[in-house]
Amino acid sequence: MEWSHIGLYVQALVKWLAVAAVTGAVCGVIGSAFHIGVEKATELRAAHGWLLWCLPLAGLCIVGFYKLTRTEGQGTNDIIDAVHLGKGLSIWLLPAIFLGTVLTHLCGGSAGREGAALQMGGTIGNHVGGLFHLDDRDMRTATMAGMAAFFAALFGTPLTATVFAMVVISIGVMYHAAFIPCLTASLTAYGVSLLMGVEPTRFTVVMPELEAVMLLRVAVLGALCALVSILFCNTIHFAEHRMARYLPNAWVRVIAGGAAVIALTYLCGTTDYNGAGMDVITAAVEQGTASPAAFLLKILFTAVTLSAGFKGGEVVPSFFVGATFGCVAGPLLGIPATCGAALGLVAVFCGAVNCPVASIFLSVELFGDGGLLYFALICGISYMLSGYNGLYSSQTILYSKLKAQYINVHTNAHHAGNPHAEPPVHGSLKE
């Protein structure tokens, strides 16, 4: 190999280490501040129940700020499009999603954090790339690095964040050129979050010894979790379309949605389904306790919250749905409740985001490697049987889930065996 060629590799490595380190540091600081802000908002809401009544007012503030910053309608799908198509991202999306998510959690909206993580991280990565004068293709990699970094800062799962950012854009391929940028940014952000006192998300659960009968039981649970993930994704999309159709005015929609969440909370007689619900997830995974209807109610609360215009994400709600469903369904199949909750959490997440490898890494970082083969099996089953449904409509699935066939279709726009599949999606990184 010529020295000039070696120089190109060294130059690329130095460039990406610099870009990723800056991206990771910025994402680490802002991500930690965001994590702390959401936690403080949750604590305030728990201490002052009357804040729930302020949810419609919080919604008006969110709509107003998005209109003021001209970021209305932008979300995680736009971050994915920034990688697919090289679209630019407004820096105003950063404070908009930060404020919107904190207000949503403060007043009891049912949402997660990772939607904000992907949006803020992608925006930061995109603009840091601009500071380094990266070209179009490298800007897309910088956006992925930001997504990975912010995800790692929030959840304390740098390896999952790295792989997730690399595969969530286009299912069926992994952009290996983004590995060092994403990993470096993730590790940097993770380190910064630890320095700022953010505890990584970890659970304690003892998985059963590997045996054939338990593998069969886990496979059945995986099939059920695939159905739950389909229900979760389709309910959210259905609510978004219906709310936008029947309440096209954003101001009216957010007031109606806020009022609906308040009414649902009082009908249920509990605040378990407001906010992210990490305490309910922990109870399911570590204590094996969950209400039989908890997963259905969380789907309902989340669909109403997000379709109304409140901000947050769907991944933590998917954790909630999977953990509570697995906790209840597991014992019916002969699986210990805590194990069923852990398996369900990962399986529903996998079915919702179509990322089996990232989901397996997630299981290791959250629960340890004791049940690795069980998690691998349930992720594979959930991924295959969840079809072409998913949380992110801008996500593309490049290869069929049923055979080694290139299909390149959008999530939620294709069905297995459909001879009239939509034409190939242009502008992706594959081109």
Side-chain angles (χ1 to χ4, degrees):
M1 181 181 294
E2 297 181 5
W3 286 107
S4 59
H5 292 166
I6 295 177
L8 290 175
Y9 291 109
V10 172
Q11 181 182 1
L13 177 61
V14 171
K15 174 188 70 176
W16 282 119
L17 288 177
V19 172
V22 173
T23 301
V26 176
C27 287
V29 172
I30 299 178
S32 298
F34 175 71
H35 184 281
I36 294 169
V38 170
E39 279 200 337
K40 294 299 181 184
T42 302
E43 291 172 3
L44 277 173
R45 189 186 74 246
H48 305 285
W50 56 266
L51 282 170
L52 177 64
W53 290 94
C54 299
L55 188 58
L57 178 60
L60 292 175
C61 293
I62 293 170
V63 172
F65 193 77
Y66 267 77
K67 287 183 177 294
L68 182 66
T69 56
R70 297 183 180 180
T71 53
E72 187 179 16
Q74 295 185 30
T76 305
N77 282 317
D78 293 277
I79 304 299
I80 294 175
D81 282 338
V83 179
H84 273 310
L85 310 173
K87 291 182 177 179
L89 295 170
S90 169
I91 192 63
W92 285 105
L93 187 58
L94 182 59
I97 189 63
F98 191 114
L99 176 66
T101 304
V102 171
L103 283 176
T104 296
H105 282 263
L106 177 65
C107 297
S110 177
R113 300 169 293 183
E114 95 303 327
L118 298 181
Q119 291 173 50
M120 286 192 280
T123 302
I124 291 170
N126 188 270
H127 284 273
V128 170
L131 293 177
F132 280 83
H133 303 292
L134 301 181
D135 62 26
D136 175 64
R137 293 291 164 172
D138 283 349
M139 285 288 285
R140 305 182 194 204
T141 301
T143 302
M144 284 191 279
M147 294 164 62
F150 217 101
F151 195 105
L154 282 189
F155 293 101
T157 55
L159 188 54
T160 301
T162 297
V163 177
F164 182 69
M166 292 168 61
V167 302
V168 71
I169 306 299
S170 297
I171 305 304
V173 299
M174 180 180 288
Y175 302 121
H176 289 86
F179 181 69
I180 286 298
C182 289
L183 181 62
T184 303
S186 293
L187 289 173
T188 303
Y190 178 53
V192 170
S193 70
L194 292 178
L195 290 175
M196 293 183 65
V198 175
E199 292 291 329
T201 304
R202 297 290 185 271
F203 298 101
T204 301
V205 60
V206 178
M207 299 298 293
E209 293 294 324
L210 187 67
E211 58 178 4
V213 174
M214 186 58 69
L215 283 169
L216 179 60
R217 292 169 177 170
V218 169
V220 174
L221 180 61
L224 295 175
C225 285
L227 295 177
V228 172
S229 73
I230 294 172
L231 175 65
F232 179 58
C233 295
N234 287 347
T235 301
I236 288 177
H237 295 313
F238 176 82
E240 288 176 346
H241 294 152
R242 291 294 176 176
M243 287 284 274
R245 178 179 177 182
Y246 292 113
L247 296 173
N249 185 292
W251 306 98
V252 174
R253 185 163 64 244
V254 81
I255 291 175
V261 171
I262 294 171
L264 286 170
T265 301
Y266 278 91
L267 283 173
C268 293
T270 178
T271 58
D272 284 352
Y273 311 109
N274 303 105
M278 289 301 297
D279 53 340
V280 177
I281 296 172
T282 302
V285 173
E286 297 189 344
Q287 301 170 23
T289 58
S291 167
F295 77 100
L296 291 172
L297 289 171
K298 187 61 174 179
I299 291 175
L300 176 61
F301 271 73
T302 304
V304 172
T305 298
L306 296 180
S307 64
F310 294 95
K311 301 302 174 182
E314 304 93 345
V315 165
V316 175
S318 81
F319 289 176
F320 185 116
V321 170
T324 52
F325 174 76
C327 184
V328 173
L332 300 178
L333 298 171
I335 303 171
T338 56
C339 299
L343 290 164
L345 183 154
V346 175
V348 172
F349 168 77
C350 179
V353 299
N354 293 299
C355 298
V357 176
S359 301
I360 294 170
F361 282 121
L362 177 68
S363 73
V364 174
E365 292 190 301
L366 291 184
F367 308 111
D369 61 358
L372 182 57
L373 290 177
Y374 287 125
F375 284 110
L377 174 63
I378 202 167
C379 287
I381 296 291
S382 181
Y383 169 72
M384 183 176 183
L385 297 184
S386 62
Y388 298 94
N389 301 279
L391 291 175
Y392 312 122
S393 296
S394 289
Q395 182 184 59
T396 56
I397 298 181
L398 295 182
Y399 288 91
S400 168
K401 291 189 177 186
L402 304 181
K403 61 181 67 178
Q405 178 182 355
Y406 180 70
I407 57 175
N408 195 13
V409 297
H410 275 121
T411 305
N412 305 313
H414 181 74
H415 299 286
N418 181 6
H420 305 295
E422 64 175 28
V425 178
H426 297 291
S428 68
L429 288 184
K430 186 169 179 68
E431 291 185 352

